[in-house]
Amino acid sequence: MTTPFQKASEWIDAENAQDPNIELDQNTEYPKELLYSNRMYEKLMQFEPNASEEVQIASKAQHICRWKVARESYPMDRVGYLKWREELKKFHAKTTAGILEKAGYDETFIDRVSFLIEKKLLKKDTETQLLEDVICLVFLEYYLEPFVEKHDEEKLKNIIKKTWDKMSEKGHQEALKINYSEENLNLIKASLGL
């Protein structure tokens, strides 16, 4: 008997597996958003093993089908970027809601997952904060390096500081345990005045 959680997880993975963008991880190619989804879920379970089913699904579906809403379809300025990010949250929540309904979840559960994916009440809602911590930890562990290659030091310090400000104290402690390169660790320390 397949549970609604197993069905939803499978279907989220199936959607993300269609990503035409490929990312390399330890010499294996993965659809980019499938790899991101797996990293999010693994990090959540490592960081908070007792996370609710709603948070578990929200972590897997955080970027579901992200490639379908192209950044280029919005103005390439700060306002355009923020609008794109807002639209993405709604798109991810709506796409996930459709899957959860099909998997047999009730409206209350679906609404809660949408609430989390849209990152509502950050800093006030403990589960939204948990999800944000995981997003930031995954960014620092897997995606900081590509940023370092693309941006100057001032921009990087700003990105790190903004990331840090979104996290809880528990998130900060976990972030300092990540195995960074020496350069990146020094950059993080310089950004935060540690």
Side-chain angles (χ1 to χ4, degrees):
M1 176 84 177
T2 317
T3 65
F5 181 78
Q6 287 167 321
K7 283 184 204 165
S9 295
E10 266 176 48
W11 293 335
I12 289 165
D13 286 349
E15 287 294 329
N16 280 327
Q18 294 174 48
D19 190 350
N21 305 295
I22 299 299
E23 198 169 306
L24 204 61
D25 181 49
Q26 298 176 346
N27 298 319
T28 305
E29 290 187 342
Y30 295 92
K32 185 179 173 188
E33 294 310 343
L34 180 61
L35 181 61
Y36 180 79
S37 174
N38 291 339
R39 285 171 169 169
M40 281 289 296
Y41 184 72
E42 281 163 23
K43 181 60 71 184
L44 172 68
M45 297 323 287
Q46 174 199 331
F47 182 62
E48 185 47 79
N50 299 318
S52 71
E53 211 165 290
E54 290 91 336
V55 181
Q56 289 180 48
I57 287 173
S59 75
K60 286 187 73 63
Q62 191 59 36
H63 279 184
I64 190 166
C65 299
R66 194 179 187 94
W67 68 93
K68 292 182 179 179
V69 184
R71 170 68 186 94
E72 296 72 38
S73 59
Y74 291 83
M76 296 305 283
D77 56 16
R78 179 92 184 132
V79 175
Y81 173 74
L82 294 172
K83 184 149 178 49
W84 173 66
R85 290 291 300 269
E86 274 312 301
E87 292 302 318
L88 272 174
K89 285 183 202 171
K90 290 176 190 153
F91 169 74
H92 296 321
K94 191 175 176 194
T95 306
T96 307
I99 287 172
L100 296 179
E101 200 175 333
K102 201 169 74 166
Y105 282 105
D106 66 25
E107 202 177 320
T108 307
F109 186 96
I110 295 168
D111 287 348
R112 182 65 181 157
V113 172
S114 296
F115 177 96
L116 293 168
I117 290 175
E118 291 186 42
K119 295 200 274 193
K120 291 185 175 172
L121 295 181
L122 183 61
K123 297 282 183 194
K124 293 190 178 112
D125 183 279
T126 53
E127 290 189 322
T128 301
Q129 185 58 54
L130 169 59
L131 190 62
E132 186 65 41
D133 278 344
V134 173
I135 290 164
C136 294
L137 290 167
V138 166
F139 167 72
L140 290 167
E141 185 163 349
Y142 298 104
Y143 301 97
L144 179 61
E145 191 63 49
F147 265 81
V148 169
E149 290 161 17
K150 280 192 259 180
H151 299 292
D152 64 59
E153 194 171 325
E154 274 320 298
K155 174 133 192 185
L156 287 166
K157 282 182 174 176
N158 193 24
I159 289 168
I160 290 166
K161 190 154 177 3
K162 278 184 178 165
T163 301
W164 204 256
D165 289 345
K166 290 180 194 168
M167 297 170 81
S168 68
E169 188 47 47
K170 185 184 173 192
H172 293 159
Q173 288 167 13
E174 194 67 23
L176 292 172
K177 294 179 195 166
I178 292 170
N179 189 16
Y180 302 102
S181 68
E182 196 177 340
E183 296 82 7
N184 286 354
L185 183 59
N186 289 337
L187 175 67
I188 288 166
K189 286 181 171 174
S191 309
L192 305 171
L194 296 176

